[in-house]
Amino acid sequence: MSFQSLFRKKNVNDILASIEQNGGENAHGTLDSGDGHTLGRHLGVRDLAAFGIAAIIGAGIFSTIGKASADGGPAVIFLFLFTAIACGFAAFAYAEFASMVPVSGSAYTYSYVAFGEIIAWIIGWALIMEYAIGNITVAISWSDYFTGLLESGGLKLPQWIQMDYITAHNGYNEAVGLMQSGKVFQNLDESLQSAYIAWTSCPKLGPIHFIADLPALLIIILITWLVYRGMKESRNASNLMVVIKLAVILLVIAVGVFYVDTDNWNPFAPEGMEGVLKGVSAVFFAYIGFDAISTTAEECRNPQRDLPRGMMWAIIICTVLYIIIALVLTGMVSYKDLDVGDPLAAVFEQLDLKWLSGIIAVSAVVAMASVLLVFQMGQPRIWMSMSRDGLLPPKFSKIHPRFKTPSFSTVVVGFVVAVPALFMNLTMVTDLCSIGTLFAFVMVCAGVLVLQNKPDVPRGKFRIPYMNAKYIAPLMLVGGVTLAFTVYNRSTMAFLTNERELIAPADLLTSLDNNQTENLKKEVERIDYKGFEASDKDLETYFGEMEEGQYLKQMKAVGMEEKQLYESGFALFMHKIPMWIFLVLLVGITIWAFRSNLSLIPLLGLVSCLYMMAELTIWNWIGFGAWLAVGMVIYFGYSRKKSKLNVSPQV
């Protein structure tokens, strides 16, 4: 096969014709699959908007908003706004494609039209990671809320059946390290205490510890069963859950606004923009899911009209709610008190409004289930589209004769999500999900730009308003560079010169072995006995309360070498590689915009999503790269030969 065959494309007419070939739309308004069975058309604008709200309002508003607010203060509202605008730009691109190609497949199908098969496969493979890992994340979060709710009702499950293996193992090691440095068990973070208890109390067989998140498994089984049963049942369940959680959020706002103290909004941005941007991964994760709406295109009554409207309404409604909730929470208590797993419930508990705290806990369980429902619907429909094109085995496009759902794909998705959810770590999967989603957003925005000047491409009813970015893009680049070297000159120069960074006391202490920790304690006790006694002989507390200059002086006094206290060289530079990639691409995109008169809105979506990718750690990029490498092996080993566009003789 030639190199050019990697970029063989399907045009819009090909895609629509393939649906007709598989059976087409029948007199009852349903779509036939290749086996003569149908996908039912049950969805309108309200249903699609509800699916979007169901996917977006979940962990973000009930959990991650707390950590993001603690990092950025009340100014976190700008992060929600920025993320919403970035997702809004991407949603415009999705909407144009959804109107142009009203079939299941989401970004995978759109990339097949714009870039060709190899890029479509990469996007499809990335979406598999997005939805599968997104589902794992939500299932773990649901488990946390559910077990917390049971505990508040007096039923406490053993720690080893409500925690994943990796969290327990890592938490146990960190707890041991901190206790060796002098911290008593009762002063450890609650999460570390739980991990320690799970690791030490679980059943064991020799060196094997049996630790698994069983509630996460339970919710995945229930949601998979519901999705398997049919779109109408999924729609009704989603709409009901959305009504419940919107009612609770409005109740929280209505009650909370009377407890707002505007003094808590000062300082508004305590850590500046750097603090605000710390939460970019968590906040972005709160927004992903609106793209899952596009996977239901074949089950919409009027996809070309309803899909764009459903996406936009979902993002607008959720952004307004996120901003109001963030302002209310940071006004009710100090932003410093919000770094907890369940900020909404914790705030009202702190104000002795426990009745409302209980309602929030119940609604959080409902909210997480609704997010999982939408994600669990999206994944099988991606696989169904890839199977129709020959890139996955035909079994994945099988439609259940009675329930009108991609049955085999739905069951496989259940297994793919359920097994890792028993053992995987929440932070690990959240960031991997974010990078996969952002990559899909980037490619959809780029796809709109690639197709914008091609007259032979059929257009749908919705088109992004055109604004020429020829001069705006270069002006924005110049403005950004000017801002970087004036207002943010200090951090810009530190980035460019790879200036060394001080290692935080907790990170330094947990990296020491037992002998090093004991020697450090003896030295601290020798030179500052009273100060060490005052900190209960806890090294983390002792060093953590010091100013940077005093911390450095004291560390050197106890024999620490300067190279142990700083991260520098390539070990530091490698974390900046994603941002360097973004900067290089930004220059190239600006030149492209100038030469090709690109449309501004999808261009801004492309740039903002690329920037959020750059804010993720190098380890996320490496993990994503490894996932794509596995996908390439499958593509060249199976999919390329089996593709419906492969006109060469079968091997």
Side-chain angles (χ1 to χ4, degrees), residues 324-398:
I324 294 174
I325 283 287
L327 285 173
V328 169
L329 286 183
T330 55
M332 291 172 70
V333 299
S334 169
Y335 68 92
K336 297 176 184 176
D337 298 332
L338 291 173
D339 191 7
V340 293
D342 52 350
L344 265 69
V347 164
F348 286 99
E349 217 169 279
Q350 188 174 323
L351 295 173
D352 204 28
L353 294 171
K354 294 184 179 178
W355 63 272
L356 187 52
S357 178
I359 293 174
I360 291 169
V362 173
S363 67
V365 171
V366 173
M368 296 291 145
S370 70
V371 176
L372 186 60
L373 172 65
V374 177
F375 275 37
Q376 205 75 345
M377 280 194 320
Q379 178 73 90
R381 285 154 179 80
I382 299 291
W383 287 2
M384 180 184 71
S385 294
M386 297 175 77
S387 174
R388 282 174 175 173
D389 296 330
L391 304 187
L392 288 177
K395 191 81 171 172
F396 284 91
S397 56
K398 177 180 173 59

Side-chain angles (χ1 to χ4, degrees), residues 148-169:
L149 183 63
L150 291 180
E151 191 170 333
S152 66
L155 178 58
K156 185 171 176 61
L157 300 177
Q159 289 291 348
W160 58 272
I161 69 168
Q162 56 175 297
M163 182 176 293
D164 63 275
Y165 182 93
I166 295 174
T167 295
H169 178 264

Side-chain angles (χ1 to χ4, degrees), residues 74 259-267 329-335:
Y259 292 87
V260 168
D261 181 354
T262 54
D263 289 342
N264 287 324
W265 290 338
N266 187 27
L329 286 183
T330 55
M332 291 172 70
V333 299
S334 169
Y335 68 92

Side-chain angles (χ1 to χ4, degrees), residues 106-173:
S106 185
Y108 157 76
T109 301
Y110 308 155
S111 297
Y112 223 143
V113 172
F115 302 109
E117 186 171 279
I118 184 69
I119 304 300
W121 169 264
I122 291 172
I123 293 296
W125 192 247
L127 287 173
I128 289 174
M129 186 178 75
E130 173 200 339
Y131 284 107
I133 291 183
N135 289 349
I136 294 166
T137 306
V138 176
I140 295 170
S141 294
W142 183 90
S143 173
D144 292 342
Y145 274 96
F146 180 69
T147 53
L149 183 63
L150 291 180
E151 191 170 333
S152 66
L155 178 58
K156 185 171 176 61
L157 300 177
Q159 289 291 348
W160 58 272
I161 69 168
Q162 56 175 297
M163 182 176 293
D164 63 275
Y165 182 93
I166 295 174
T167 295
H169 178 264
N170 293 344
Y172 170 79
N173 289 337

Side-chain angles (χ1 to χ4, degrees), residues 266-320:
N266 187 27
F268 198 72
E271 301 296 328
M273 284 306 296
E274 186 177 343
V276 171
L277 291 173
K278 269 186 184 178
V280 67
S281 174
V283 169
F284 174 74
F285 184 77
Y287 275 97
I288 69 172
F290 77 82
D291 61 322
I293 301 173
S294 63
T295 68
T296 65
E298 292 178 31
E299 290 146 293
C300 299
R301 288 190 288 269
N302 188 345
Q304 291 187 310
R305 182 198 67 188
D306 295 348
L307 276 169
R309 294 181 182 181
M311 287 182 187
M312 296 306 171
W313 276 117
I315 290 178
I316 291 169
I317 292 169
C318 293
T319 301
V320 171

